[in-house]
Amino acid sequence: MLIRLAENYTSTLFCNAYRNMAAEATTCVQEFFTDVGLFIFGTDISTEESVNRFFDTLFPVVYNHVINPGLTDISLEYAECLQMVRRDIRPFGNIPRKAIGQMGRTLLPSRTFLQALNLGIEVINTTDHLHFSKDCSRALLRMQYCPHCQGLTLSKPCMGYCLNVIRGCLANVAEVDLHWRGYVQSLEELSSAMSGTYDIEHVLLNFHSLVNDALVQARINGPELSAQVNKVCGPPVRKPTQSPGCTFVQNKDNQGLKMFLRDSEETLTNRRK
């Protein structure tokens, strides 16, 4: 839900502030957040490369509509040249590097946390269906029902006897206890570390702000960037087609606003705690 919401915010940014390039930019946004989801759920992909690919594919769109707009779109070949030179001419300044740092320090702990929770589920499912020995079953029976023979139906077994029986019945899994306590402690430490500036909720829901900063920087440095591009790729080569406008579904905006105003108890941070 958090990834969908962050994608929603970023696409809405283009629809509200950069409507003429929203359709093309939304495709870049969708691909980026697909990568984010794949990484968190265990796919072996590079977060640095995902961020770089996002800004690489975004640059031709920004160049075409903000830096050097024209009546028609730039050609596919020219767009490919722009993608190749983006990392050298740095149209978005230090924003991509900042995004790489935030994503790298945020997504890996989140993926580890999720994997650890899944491991805990496996352990619980395994130890939750124990088959007791006959001796253990007899001891449990005696502990629970012997007082009944004396008519003492409400009396509970004494603590010492109860603990001895439980220890005997759980002897086969007792060795898990030490490791389980260490696991829980590590999980608590990891959860505590996933807070503050690099909390995944904070980073993902503010990604659209980083993108906006990057677009503002590109617009301010437009003339200089245009000159740099001309040196490497030549003057813009255009094709006789027009980019579609914003096609972002309006109810997605409403859904995003509704989800943003959700109860504070439903935040990922509180659920994790």
mmCIF file of all heavy atoms in Angstrom, residues 80-108:
data_model
loop_
_atom_site.group_PDB
_atom_site.id
_atom_site.type_symbol
_atom_site.label_atom_id
_atom_site.label_comp_id
_atom_site.label_asym_id
_atom_site.label_seq_id
_atom_site.Cartn_x
_atom_site.Cartn_y
_atom_site.Cartn_z
ATOM 1 N N GLU A 80 17.418 8.749 -26.849
ATOM 2 C CA GLU A 80 18.422 7.794 -26.392
ATOM 3 C C GLU A 80 19.759 8.480 -26.127
ATOM 4 O O GLU A 80 20.465 8.132 -25.168
ATOM 5 C CB GLU A 80 18.584 6.677 -27.424
ATOM 6 C CG GLU A 80 17.384 5.742 -27.506
ATOM 7 C CD GLU A 80 17.513 4.711 -28.611
ATOM 8 O OE1 GLU A 80 18.439 4.873 -29.458
ATOM 9 O OE2 GLU A 80 16.711 3.765 -28.654
ATOM 10 N N CYS A 81 20.116 9.449 -26.955
ATOM 11 C CA CYS A 81 21.353 10.208 -26.737
ATOM 12 C C CYS A 81 21.264 10.977 -25.423
ATOM 13 O O CYS A 81 22.230 11.017 -24.650
ATOM 14 C CB CYS A 81 21.590 11.167 -27.907
ATOM 15 S SG CYS A 81 23.128 12.124 -27.756
ATOM 16 N N LEU A 82 20.109 11.579 -25.159
ATOM 17 C CA LEU A 82 19.923 12.326 -23.908
ATOM 18 C C LEU A 82 20.068 11.414 -22.693
ATOM 19 O O LEU A 82 20.662 11.805 -21.679
ATOM 20 C CB LEU A 82 18.548 12.996 -23.897
ATOM 21 C CG LEU A 82 18.343 14.147 -24.886
ATOM 22 C CD1 LEU A 82 16.893 14.606 -24.869
ATOM 23 C CD2 LEU A 82 19.264 15.314 -24.550
ATOM 24 N N GLN A 83 19.521 10.206 -22.792
ATOM 25 C CA GLN A 83 19.654 9.255 -21.682
ATOM 26 C C GLN A 83 21.113 8.918 -21.414
ATOM 27 O O GLN A 83 21.536 8.800 -20.262
ATOM 28 C CB GLN A 83 18.879 7.971 -21.999
ATOM 29 C CG GLN A 83 17.369 8.129 -21.966
ATOM 30 C CD GLN A 83 16.645 6.817 -22.161
ATOM 31 O OE1 GLN A 83 17.105 5.775 -21.707
ATOM 32 N NE2 GLN A 83 15.510 6.842 -22.828
ATOM 33 N N MET A 84 21.888 8.773 -22.496
ATOM 34 C CA MET A 84 23.288 8.395 -22.351
ATOM 35 C C MET A 84 24.132 9.503 -21.721
ATOM 36 O O MET A 84 25.094 9.224 -21.002
ATOM 37 C CB MET A 84 23.868 8.014 -23.719
ATOM 38 C CG MET A 84 23.303 6.721 -24.294
ATOM 39 S SD MET A 84 23.925 6.377 -25.957
ATOM 40 C CE MET A 84 25.681 6.210 -25.632
ATOM 41 N N VAL A 85 23.773 10.767 -21.959
ATOM 42 C CA VAL A 85 24.606 11.879 -21.458
ATOM 43 C C VAL A 85 24.110 12.418 -20.116
ATOM 44 O O VAL A 85 24.770 13.272 -19.524
ATOM 45 C CB VAL A 85 24.665 13.037 -22.482
ATOM 46 C CG1 VAL A 85 25.211 12.552 -23.806
ATOM 47 C CG2 VAL A 85 23.300 13.698 -22.666
ATOM 48 N N ARG A 86 22.982 11.923 -19.626
ATOM 49 C CA ARG A 86 22.395 12.486 -18.403
ATOM 50 C C ARG A 86 23.356 12.450 -17.229
ATOM 51 O O ARG A 86 23.510 13.449 -16.494
ATOM 52 C CB ARG A 86 21.113 11.720 -18.056
ATOM 53 C CG ARG A 86 20.197 12.429 -17.053
ATOM 54 C CD ARG A 86 20.556 12.227 -15.609
ATOM 55 N NE ARG A 86 20.602 10.842 -15.200
ATOM 56 C CZ ARG A 86 21.003 10.451 -13.989
ATOM 57 N NH1 ARG A 86 21.445 11.352 -13.099
ATOM 58 N NH2 ARG A 86 21.051 9.164 -13.674
ATOM 59 N N ARG A 87 24.052 11.355 -17.028
ATOM 60 C CA ARG A 87 24.921 11.232 -15.859
ATOM 61 C C ARG A 87 26.155 12.118 -15.969
ATOM 62 O O ARG A 87 26.757 12.461 -14.951
ATOM 63 C CB ARG A 87 25.342 9.765 -15.667
ATOM 64 C CG ARG A 87 24.130 8.841 -15.523
ATOM 65 C CD ARG A 87 24.502 7.409 -15.223
ATOM 66 N NE ARG A 87 23.363 6.522 -15.491
ATOM 67 C CZ ARG A 87 23.308 5.245 -15.132
ATOM 68 N NH1 ARG A 87 24.320 4.683 -14.505
ATOM 69 N NH2 ARG A 87 22.246 4.512 -15.422
ATOM 70 N N ASP A 88 26.525 12.503 -17.204
ATOM 71 C CA ASP A 88 27.693 13.373 -17.387
ATOM 72 C C ASP A 88 27.347 14.843 -17.200
ATOM 73 O O ASP A 88 28.089 15.577 -16.541
ATOM 74 C CB ASP A 88 28.298 13.153 -18.780
ATOM 75 C CG ASP A 88 28.894 11.765 -18.936
ATOM 76 O OD1 ASP A 88 29.419 11.235 -17.929
ATOM 77 O OD2 ASP A 88 28.831 11.205 -20.043
ATOM 78 N N ILE A 89 26.228 15.265 -17.751
ATOM 79 C CA ILE A 89 25.907 16.705 -17.663
ATOM 80 C C ILE A 89 25.099 17.043 -16.407
ATOM 81 O O ILE A 89 24.938 18.212 -16.083
ATOM 82 C CB ILE A 89 25.151 17.191 -18.919
ATOM 83 C CG1 ILE A 89 23.766 16.536 -19.025
ATOM 84 C CG2 ILE A 89 25.949 16.908 -20.182
ATOM 85 C CD1 ILE A 89 22.938 17.068 -20.182
ATOM 86 N N ARG A 90 24.590 16.052 -15.714
ATOM 87 C CA ARG A 90 23.926 16.202 -14.413
ATOM 88 C C ARG A 90 22.864 17.312 -14.431
ATOM 89 O O ARG A 90 22.973 18.305 -13.711
ATOM 90 C CB ARG A 90 24.970 16.479 -13.333
ATOM 91 C CG ARG A 90 26.013 15.383 -13.214
ATOM 92 C CD ARG A 90 27.088 15.701 -12.196
ATOM 93 N NE ARG A 90 26.538 15.666 -10.855
ATOM 94 C CZ ARG A 90 26.718 16.627 -9.945
ATOM 95 N NH1 ARG A 90 27.420 17.703 -10.241
ATOM 96 N NH2 ARG A 90 26.196 16.514 -8.749
ATOM 97 N N PRO A 91 21.815 17.144 -15.231
ATOM 98 C CA PRO A 91 20.768 18.182 -15.304
ATOM 99 C C PRO A 91 19.983 18.352 -14.005
ATOM 100 O O PRO A 91 19.411 19.421 -13.755
ATOM 101 C CB PRO A 91 19.862 17.673 -16.424
ATOM 102 C CG PRO A 91 20.068 16.187 -16.423
ATOM 103 C CD PRO A 91 21.506 15.991 -16.086
ATOM 104 N N PHE A 92 19.962 17.298 -13.191
ATOM 105 C CA PHE A 92 19.195 17.354 -11.938
ATOM 106 C C PHE A 92 20.090 17.610 -10.732
ATOM 107 O O PHE A 92 19.664 17.412 -9.586
ATOM 108 C CB PHE A 92 18.421 16.056 -11.751
ATOM 109 C CG PHE A 92 17.516 15.715 -12.910
ATOM 110 C CD1 PHE A 92 17.693 14.536 -13.630
ATOM 111 C CD2 PHE A 92 16.503 16.574 -13.294
ATOM 112 C CE1 PHE A 92 16.875 14.217 -14.701
ATOM 113 C CE2 PHE A 92 15.670 16.271 -14.373
ATOM 114 C CZ PHE A 92 15.861 15.091 -15.074
ATOM 115 N N GLY A 93 21.338 18.030 -10.990
ATOM 116 C CA GLY A 93 22.253 18.352 -9.897
ATOM 117 C C GLY A 93 22.576 17.140 -9.050
ATOM 118 O O GLY A 93 22.822 16.044 -9.571
ATOM 119 N N ASN A 94 22.514 17.330 -7.741
ATOM 120 C CA ASN A 94 22.877 16.271 -6.797
ATOM 121 C C ASN A 94 21.666 15.450 -6.336
ATOM 122 O O ASN A 94 21.804 14.571 -5.496
ATOM 123 C CB ASN A 94 23.573 16.901 -5.576
ATOM 124 C CG ASN A 94 24.355 15.875 -4.778
ATOM 125 O OD1 ASN A 94 25.047 15.040 -5.347
ATOM 126 N ND2 ASN A 94 24.230 15.932 -3.457
ATOM 127 N N ILE A 95 20.496 15.753 -6.889
ATOM 128 C CA ILE A 95 19.272 15.081 -6.444
ATOM 129 C C ILE A 95 19.319 13.570 -6.679
ATOM 130 O O ILE A 95 18.979 12.787 -5.775
ATOM 131 C CB ILE A 95 18.024 15.691 -7.115
ATOM 132 C CG1 ILE A 95 17.905 17.185 -6.767
ATOM 133 C CG2 ILE A 95 16.763 14.963 -6.675
ATOM 134 C CD1 ILE A 95 17.761 17.481 -5.295
ATOM 135 N N PRO A 96 19.740 13.083 -7.866
ATOM 136 C CA PRO A 96 19.809 11.631 -8.048
ATOM 137 C C PRO A 96 20.725 10.948 -7.034
ATOM 138 O O PRO A 96 20.388 9.883 -6.507
ATOM 139 C CB PRO A 96 20.343 11.481 -9.478
ATOM 140 C CG PRO A 96 19.899 12.727 -10.175
ATOM 141 C CD PRO A 96 20.015 13.803 -9.139
ATOM 142 N N ARG A 97 21.885 11.565 -6.744
ATOM 143 C CA ARG A 97 22.801 10.978 -5.761
ATOM 144 C C ARG A 97 22.158 10.946 -4.379
ATOM 145 O O ARG A 97 22.313 9.973 -3.628
ATOM 146 C CB ARG A 97 24.089 11.798 -5.745
ATOM 147 C CG ARG A 97 25.151 11.357 -4.749
ATOM 148 C CD ARG A 97 25.533 9.918 -4.886
ATOM 149 N NE ARG A 97 25.892 9.536 -6.246
ATOM 150 C CZ ARG A 97 26.127 8.295 -6.639
ATOM 151 N NH1 ARG A 97 26.023 7.304 -5.766
ATOM 152 N NH2 ARG A 97 26.440 8.022 -7.887
ATOM 153 N N LYS A 98 21.413 11.984 -4.044
ATOM 154 C CA LYS A 98 20.705 12.032 -2.763
ATOM 155 C C LYS A 98 19.645 10.929 -2.694
ATOM 156 O O LYS A 98 19.492 10.253 -1.667
ATOM 157 C CB LYS A 98 20.055 13.403 -2.577
ATOM 158 C CG LYS A 98 19.371 13.607 -1.238
ATOM 159 C CD LYS A 98 18.820 15.021 -1.125
ATOM 160 C CE LYS A 98 18.138 15.239 0.231
ATOM 161 N NZ LYS A 98 17.571 16.626 0.349
ATOM 162 N N ALA A 99 18.921 10.738 -3.793
ATOM 163 C CA ALA A 99 17.885 9.698 -3.839
ATOM 164 C C ALA A 99 18.510 8.313 -3.722
ATOM 165 O O ALA A 99 17.970 7.434 -3.042
ATOM 166 C CB ALA A 99 17.094 9.809 -5.143
ATOM 167 N N ILE A 100 19.666 8.110 -4.362
ATOM 168 C CA ILE A 100 20.363 6.824 -4.277
ATOM 169 C C ILE A 100 20.752 6.529 -2.830
ATOM 170 O O ILE A 100 20.576 5.413 -2.332
ATOM 171 C CB ILE A 100 21.612 6.832 -5.185
ATOM 172 C CG1 ILE A 100 21.194 6.767 -6.653
ATOM 173 C CG2 ILE A 100 22.534 5.657 -4.850
ATOM 174 C CD1 ILE A 100 22.329 7.005 -7.626
ATOM 175 N N GLY A 101 21.272 7.552 -2.132
ATOM 176 C CA GLY A 101 21.656 7.375 -0.736
ATOM 177 C C GLY A 101 20.478 7.018 0.150
ATOM 178 O O GLY A 101 20.558 6.104 0.981
ATOM 179 N N GLN A 102 19.363 7.719 -0.036
ATOM 180 C CA GLN A 102 18.174 7.461 0.785
ATOM 181 C C GLN A 102 17.606 6.074 0.513
ATOM 182 O O GLN A 102 17.278 5.337 1.452
ATOM 183 C CB GLN A 102 17.114 8.533 0.506
ATOM 184 C CG GLN A 102 17.450 9.902 1.063
ATOM 185 C CD GLN A 102 16.296 10.877 0.909
ATOM 186 O OE1 GLN A 102 15.246 10.554 0.336
ATOM 187 N NE2 GLN A 102 16.483 12.090 1.405
ATOM 188 N N MET A 103 17.485 5.717 -0.756
ATOM 189 C CA MET A 103 16.913 4.416 -1.099
ATOM 190 C C MET A 103 17.815 3.275 -0.618
ATOM 191 O O MET A 103 17.335 2.260 -0.107
ATOM 192 C CB MET A 103 16.695 4.311 -2.614
ATOM 193 C CG MET A 103 15.608 5.215 -3.141
ATOM 194 S SD MET A 103 13.976 4.760 -2.502
ATOM 195 C CE MET A 103 13.012 6.192 -3.008
ATOM 196 N N GLY A 104 19.119 3.448 -0.784
ATOM 197 C CA GLY A 104 20.041 2.399 -0.372
ATOM 198 C C GLY A 104 19.985 2.135 1.119
ATOM 199 O O GLY A 104 19.984 0.979 1.563
ATOM 200 N N ARG A 105 19.909 3.209 1.911
ATOM 201 C CA ARG A 105 19.916 3.057 3.371
ATOM 202 C C ARG A 105 18.538 2.718 3.930
ATOM 203 O O ARG A 105 18.417 2.385 5.099
ATOM 204 C CB ARG A 105 20.425 4.347 4.024
ATOM 205 C CG ARG A 105 21.903 4.608 3.771
ATOM 206 C CD ARG A 105 22.410 5.788 4.556
ATOM 207 N NE ARG A 105 22.303 5.588 5.990
ATOM 208 C CZ ARG A 105 22.787 6.435 6.893
ATOM 209 N NH1 ARG A 105 23.426 7.522 6.505
ATOM 210 N NH2 ARG A 105 22.638 6.201 8.188
ATOM 211 N N THR A 106 17.514 2.790 3.084
ATOM 212 C CA THR A 106 16.148 2.552 3.552
ATOM 213 C C THR A 106 15.608 1.198 3.112
ATOM 214 O O THR A 106 15.024 0.464 3.910
ATOM 215 C CB THR A 106 15.207 3.655 3.022
ATOM 216 O OG1 THR A 106 15.636 4.918 3.525
ATOM 217 C CG2 THR A 106 13.781 3.404 3.459
ATOM 218 N N LEU A 107 15.804 0.857 1.852
ATOM 219 C CA LEU A 107 15.156 -0.333 1.299
ATOM 220 C C LEU A 107 15.782 -1.627 1.794
ATOM 221 O O LEU A 107 15.076 -2.612 2.020
ATOM 222 C CB LEU A 107 15.187 -0.282 -0.234
ATOM 223 C CG LEU A 107 14.442 0.895 -0.877
ATOM 224 C CD1 LEU A 107 14.459 0.757 -2.391
ATOM 225 C CD2 LEU A 107 13.005 0.987 -0.374
ATOM 226 N N LEU A 108 17.114 -1.647 1.974
ATOM 227 C CA LEU A 108 17.759 -2.890 2.414
ATOM 228 C C LEU A 108 17.311 -3.309 3.816
ATOM 229 O O LEU A 108 16.951 -4.477 4.025
ATOM 230 C CB LEU A 108 19.275 -2.753 2.343
ATOM 231 C CG LEU A 108 20.063 -4.018 2.713
ATOM 232 C CD1 LEU A 108 19.656 -5.184 1.826
ATOM 233 C CD2 LEU A 108 21.569 -3.766 2.606
#
